[in-house]
Structures are given as structure tokens and as C-alpha cells.
Amino acid sequence: MNPIAAAPDAAASQLSPSDTNLMGTAQAAATQTQFISFAIGDDQYGVDIMAVREIKGWSDITHLPKQPDYVRGVLNLRGVIVPIVDLRCRFGQGLTEATPLHIVIIVQIGGRQVGLIGDRVLDIVSVDKGQIQPVPRTAQGASTDFLSGLVTHDNTMIALIDLPNLLAAHDGDDAERPAGEPNSTIPAQKN
């Protein structure tokens, strides 16, 4: 018998039941994904929890000239200038009339932070990656380009936001350039 071939079996036979439970837990975690769910009107959206840096209440922002409607301005967050994106507007549903009850979800996209305006945070949701369904492509509309998938949780459909695509410019000369690059619509962050 080859001693090298027998080694994996010997190692496996030395595992205790708690070790095999830990291995099963690690495998289950690898197939799970978590996201923060939040509301915009009656619709629910989710962003990858690993991209979320913080959630804060609405505060005054500084408006910048010649920005698209969905870029509401910038916020100075502990010395970092963070562009604030109005998701309702970005999804073609008009401007958010922001009140102190609204929230800003600060997310990391690439090497910079961006704030997303939402109505309210709902929950932290954990689902199997296999439960995420593709977004139906019934028409070529920019609003579906911002979504990476759909998931049903507690009988509610949650649209998962594709953060890098959310900031990609889809019109004019910037069509192939991510926002934040030269000639883009979102101001670059200064560190």
C-alpha cells in the first residue's frame, strides 16, 4: 500500500465530529452571501454587506455644479469627500425629497467611498448564492443594468444592486468609462 495515498484517509479518520461540523459550517459559509436590505418607496434593494462601510442618517450635503441629477452633492466624512447618489433618481423614479428620516449607506466601490440615499434600512439578509436569480432582460433599459440579481426572502423580492455598474456612465462620451475616471460624472475622491 502506498503510504502517501493512505495519508488523507488517516487524516480524515482522526477528525473529531466537531471538526467535521466546522468543515461543514465553512462549506456552508462559502455558499452563503449577506447583504444589507433597504427600502426606496415600496421597493426593496440590497447591497453586499462586505461593501458597506457605515450607515448614517441624512445630513446636509454640498451641491456641486454640472453634475447629473442623481449626484446630489458631496459629504465630508471625517476628511474624505464622499459623493452622494440618489438611488431613486438613478433608477428613473424622480428625486428623493430627503428628510432627517432618510439614510445614507456608505459603500466602498473600487478604491473610493460613495453614499447611497435610501428611505430606510430593513435588515441584514443571508441567502444561499444559488437562490439569487438573474434579472430578466425584457428590454434594454439602463435601470436593469444597475442590478446584479434578484432574491426572494420572506416572500419579498429584493433587487441586488451591482455597485460598480451603478456608477458607470451610460451616455455620451463616458459610455465605456467608469464614473470617477477622467471626464466622468462623479467627482473623484481626494485622500
Side-chain angles (χ1 to χ4, degrees):
M1 180 175 190
N2 182 348
I4 295 173
D9 291 335
S13 67
Q14 294 177 0
L15 292 176
S16 70
S18 64
D19 291 336
T20 55
N21 285 343
L22 289 175
M23 287 174 43
T25 303
Q27 289 171 345
T31 64
Q32 292 273 311
T33 186
Q34 288 187 317
F35 53 90
I36 301 285
S37 68
F38 61 96
I40 298 175
D42 293 332
D43 299 325
Q44 288 192 30
Y45 295 91
V47 291
D48 184 346
I49 197 167
M50 297 306 291
V52 176
R53 296 297 167 248
E54 69 180 273
I55 300 170
K56 58 187 278 63
W58 175 254
S59 61
D60 288 331
I61 59 174
T62 302
H63 299 278
L64 298 177
K66 296 187 179 182
Q67 296 297 309
D69 289 343
Y70 65 88
V71 179
R72 297 295 295 270
V74 295
L75 177 68
N76 185 341
L77 187 64
R78 294 180 295 282
V80 176
I81 303 302
V82 178
I84 305 299
V85 174
D86 185 340
L87 291 176
R88 179 177 279 119
C89 182
R90 188 66 169 139
F91 296 155
Q93 301 170 358
L95 289 174
T96 298
E97 295 297 326
T99 70
L101 299 177
H102 284 85
I103 49 99
V104 178
I105 301 171
I106 307 295
V107 295
Q108 187 81 23
I109 303 175
R112 64 193 178 137
Q113 294 181 2
V114 175
L116 308 175
I117 301 173
D119 291 351
R120 64 194 173 282
V121 172
L122 300 172
D123 203 356
I124 296 174
V125 178
S126 181
V127 297
D128 285 325
K129 291 179 181 176
Q131 291 180 275
I132 299 172
Q133 299 295 313
V135 178
R137 303 289 180 195
T138 55
Q140 287 194 317
S143 61
T144 59
D145 292 342
F146 307 138
L147 303 178
S148 62
L150 300 168
V151 66
T152 302
H153 180 73
D154 291 339
N155 297 320
T156 302
M157 184 73 64
I158 301 172
L160 304 178
I161 297 175
D162 183 346
L163 291 173
N165 229 10
L166 181 70
L167 298 182
H170 288 283
D171 50 10
D173 295 335
D174 295 338
E176 299 300 320
R177 189 178 303 121
E181 297 297 319
N183 296 324
S184 82
T185 57
I186 304 255
Q189 177 174 321
K190 293 182 181 179
N191 289 330

